[in-house]
Amino acid sequence: MAEKKDPGKFTVRFNAADPQQRTVIEILNQQGRYKAQFLTNAILHYIHSPETGTAVGSAEIERIVRHVLAQQQTPPVLQQEVKQAAQIPASLSEDEDRDAIFKTLEAFQQE
């Protein structure tokens, strides 16, 4: 591939028929002349954030899934013991566990 004339210049066309891309179109249009900075911040955050799933391995996914399954099968009285056995910090809520699973699955689907 030939070298670009201006390596800092990009042309991107979004698909307005795709609901997710339509949302991005709206967000970017709200940025006015600061689209480049907004995209820079978003990409760097995505790349460096452990929540994106890029830093989560299969062992971590398995641990989370086992924890959720154990919670569904265990009476509430024993759930604290299950959390300790799964080495999950007590500060994590069930919603955070579920969100972590969904984010991880979404990251794998995008690859």
Side-chain angles (χ1 to χ4, degrees):
M1 177 179 263
E3 217 174 289
K4 286 175 69 173
K5 186 177 184 181
D6 184 353
K9 185 175 181 178
F10 295 88
T11 301
V12 178
R13 178 178 278 301
F14 293 93
N15 179 359
D18 179 323
Q20 289 182 319
Q21 291 190 32
R22 189 172 42 250
T23 300
V24 171
I25 292 168
E26 293 167 6
I27 293 169
L28 286 175
N29 282 325
Q30 292 171 2
Q31 303 310 308
R33 299 185 59 87
Y34 300 100
K35 289 175 186 73
Q37 187 61 54
F38 182 84
L39 290 169
T40 299
N41 293 345
I43 291 168
L44 290 175
H45 175 75
Y46 180 84
I47 296 297
H48 298 295
S49 176
E51 296 173 357
T52 62
T54 57
V56 177
S58 59
E60 179 67 8
I61 294 169
E62 182 179 348
R63 184 189 66 76
I64 293 169
V65 171
R66 286 182 186 277
H67 168 69
V68 171
L69 289 173
Q71 279 188 324
Q72 291 176 348
Q73 297 172 354
T74 307
V77 177
L78 299 177
Q79 284 185 5
Q80 184 62 30
E81 292 177 30
V82 170
K83 283 184 181 181
Q84 289 173 350
Q87 298 177 343
I88 295 175
S91 62
L92 290 179
S93 71
E94 291 177 13
D95 290 341
E96 289 173 323
D97 288 341
R98 186 176 59 249
D99 290 344
I101 291 169
F102 287 135
K103 285 179 183 178
T104 301
L105 292 174
E106 286 173 3
F108 279 109
Q109 289 173 348
Q110 291 175 359
E111 289 183 9

